[in-house]
Amino acid sequence: MEFKEATIEIHRKAGLLKSVSVAMPTWDKDENDGSISVNIPLFGLKAFVFDDMDQDVVVNDVIKSFCISAEKFGTGLESELSVLGWEYCEENENKITMSYLVHSKDFVILQ
C-alpha cells in the first residue's frame, strides 16, 4: 500500500519558476548546545535555530534556498526532486504537482 507523504506544487510562467507550495512533514529536536535541529527529510536538509519562533522562518528559508539552488546551479527543481524520490502526479503548462509516495507507514521515520 502506498501513502502520500508530501506534495509540492510548482508554478512556472514562460519556463521560469514563479512559486512553490509544499506540504510535508518536518521534525525538530532539542540539541545539547541549546539549539534546535530542524529536519526536512524529504529534501535531505537540516537547519539549526536557537528560538522556537524561528523554526517556521528557517523551514521557509531552507526550502526557498533549495529551490533557487536547484534552478540556478542544478538541473531544475523537478529534476532534482525526482532524484530525491519525488514523483510526478499532475502536469499542465503552468503547474506541476509532485508527491513523495512511501510504501510503508514507517519509511519516513526510518529515513
Side-chain angles (χ1 to χ4, degrees):
M1 177 180 249
E2 289 185 334
F3 300 94
K4 188 183 292 186
E5 190 63 37
T7 303
I8 185 167
E9 286 186 2
I10 302 163
H11 295 269
R12 293 185 177 277
K13 187 170 184 178
L16 298 174
L17 187 63
K18 291 298 177 188
S19 70
V20 175
S21 176
V22 183
M24 76 172 138
T26 61
W27 288 277
D28 57 73
K29 176 184 170 193
D30 292 331
E31 299 291 335
N32 292 333
D33 65 355
S35 67
I36 301 167
S37 66
V38 180
N39 298 294
I40 308 169
L42 302 181
F43 277 17
L45 301 171
K46 180 186 267 191
F48 295 90
V49 296
F50 286 93
D51 185 350
D52 287 340
M53 304 275 300
D54 294 334
Q55 287 186 35
D56 291 336
V57 173
V58 166
V59 169
N60 185 40
D61 288 347
V62 168
I63 291 172
K64 189 183 300 182
S65 297
F66 177 87
C67 295
I68 291 169
S69 295
E71 289 291 306
K72 192 169 183 176
F73 305 110
T75 56
L77 181 57
E78 297 88 346
S79 177
E80 297 293 333
L81 290 171
S82 291
V83 170
L84 292 173
W86 291 75
E87 298 176 7
Y88 287 91
C89 291
E90 181 183 329
E91 188 172 355
N92 64 37
E93 63 184 53
N94 294 325
K95 181 178 100 173
I96 296 169
T97 303
M98 298 178 79
S99 64
Y100 196 96
L101 302 174
V102 295
H103 301 286
S104 162
K105 288 184 179 181
D106 299 327
F107 177 78
V108 175
I109 293 170
L110 295 172
Q111 189 180 35

